[in-house]
Amino acid sequence: MALRSIYRAVIMGPPGSGKGTVSAHITKRFGLKQLSSGDLLRANIKAKTELGLLVKYRIEQEGQLAPDDVISQLILHELRSMERTDWLLDGFPRTVSQAEALDNVYSVDTVIHLDVPLQTIKERLTSRWTHLPSGRVYNVEFNPPRVAGLDDDTDEALVQRADDTPETVTQRLKVYETQTEPVLAYYRGKGVLATFSGTETNKIWPHIQAFLDKEIALV
Ligand code: ATP
Ligand code: MG
């Protein structure tokens, strides 16, 4: 049997569309390594690195993006140590300029697009609790942790993200529409976009799984 080539995927969708949750399922089933730009930025903010200090206000209060050059360098740097690894990018690229920067170095096999209605998303984000170190998310209504306020795997505290306030959420959704939706068109044009629509992650996941079962068998 020929050696299988490296599989490179991106997951996209509006804030709160379930990217983190679906990424965790994909990691578990297919062994791709997930790299989340949001988790990476939040770790930098928490550790008060130079980069973290630079982007903190913009991310947490304004709901704006980190500068393209900063984030592209950060992600491409991480990817350099993952040359022989199948990967899944969550949260990057988020602008056409970032997609082009990625394209200059790697070609993406598949872009999974989670198409979730905006109404659903607003309700979700404001009732969401996050385990910051891992990015695992819970929802007080439809996906509560086993023990209130604690992460299932580590028993560490859950928090509400500083940018999950109603004002910042509204801004993040606008940014998604104006800056990130063009990236969907960019990948559609390359023939790698796979869109999955729905309101519940648990119902969308089996379709993504069936899709990837076929895709990954082909590479
Ligand atoms: P969710 O975590 O619910 O999917 P999201 O997609 O808005 O929502 P993250 O991907 O965690 O959240 O990103 C949080 C914030 O970090 C963004 O609002 C943005 O300010 C910044 N950020 C993350 N990725 C990028 C990126 N590729 N380019 C610029 N800024 C980014
Ligand atoms: Mg996320």
Side-chain angles (χ1 to χ4, degrees), residues 19-20 36 38-39 42 90 128 135 161:
K19 296 187 295 286
S36 158
D39 289 351
R42 280 184 289 279
D90 162 6
R128 172 165 84 167
R161 260 167 56 178

Side-chain angles (χ1 to χ4, degrees), residues 13-17 19-20 36-39 41-42 58-59 63-66 71 90-94 98 125 128 161 163 172:
S17 56
K19 296 187 295 286
S36 158
S37 55
D39 289 351
L41 289 169
R42 280 184 289 279
R58 195 193 283 244
I59 291 180
Q64 294 293 341
L65 298 182
I71 189 82
D90 162 6
F92 180 91
R94 233 180 173 87
Q98 294 176 16
L125 287 176
R128 172 165 84 167
R161 260 167 56 178
D163 59 347
R172 284 160 63 202

Side-chain angles (χ1 to χ4, degrees), residues 14-15 118 121-122 168-177:
L118 293 191
I121 279 172
K122 280 214 147 181
T168 309
V169 164
T170 303
Q171 189 49 40
R172 284 160 63 202
L173 291 171
K174 269 193 212 140
V175 167
Y176 183 80
E177 236 174 74

Side-chain angles (χ1 to χ4, degrees), residues 21-156:
T21 305
V22 171
S23 296
H25 288 321
I26 294 177
T27 303
K28 199 165 163 209
R29 169 151 184 118
F30 298 100
L32 309 193
K33 187 156 186 265
Q34 179 212 9
L35 184 60
S36 158
S37 55
D39 289 351
L40 212 54
L41 289 169
R42 280 184 289 279
N44 273 277
I45 291 173
K46 183 155 186 270
K48 298 194 166 69
T49 64
E50 197 182 331
L51 187 149
L53 294 172
L54 174 79
V55 299
K56 180 180 164 75
Y57 186 77
R58 195 193 283 244
I59 291 180
E60 294 184 347
Q61 307 302 320
E62 299 183 323
Q64 294 293 341
L65 298 182
D68 279 336
D69 53 339
V70 171
I71 189 82
S72 294
Q73 272 186 42
L74 182 71
I75 297 292
L76 293 176
H77 176 82
E78 291 288 320
L79 290 180
R80 237 171 275 150
S81 63
M82 294 163 67
E83 285 293 333
R84 303 309 308 157
T85 311
D86 297 314
W87 47 245
L88 173 68
L89 295 180
D90 162 6
F92 180 91
R94 233 180 173 87
T95 65
V96 171
S97 144
Q98 294 176 16
E100 287 167 350
L102 179 64
D103 243 0
N104 285 338
V105 196
Y106 302 102
S107 69
V108 169
D109 295 294
T110 299
V111 176
I112 293 164
H113 166 213
L114 304 180
D115 175 33
V116 177
L118 293 191
Q119 182 55 35
T120 311
I121 279 172
K122 280 214 147 181
E123 294 163 6
R124 268 189 201 177
L125 287 176
T126 41
S127 56
R128 172 165 84 167
W129 289 79
T130 305
H131 176 243
L132 284 179
S134 68
R136 272 188 290 279
V137 289
Y138 301 86
N139 188 290
V140 277
E141 280 134 54
F142 62 83
N143 170 35
R146 275 201 305 268
V147 180
L150 299 183
D151 176 49
D152 286 353
D153 289 13
T154 63
D155 282 337
E156 289 167 348

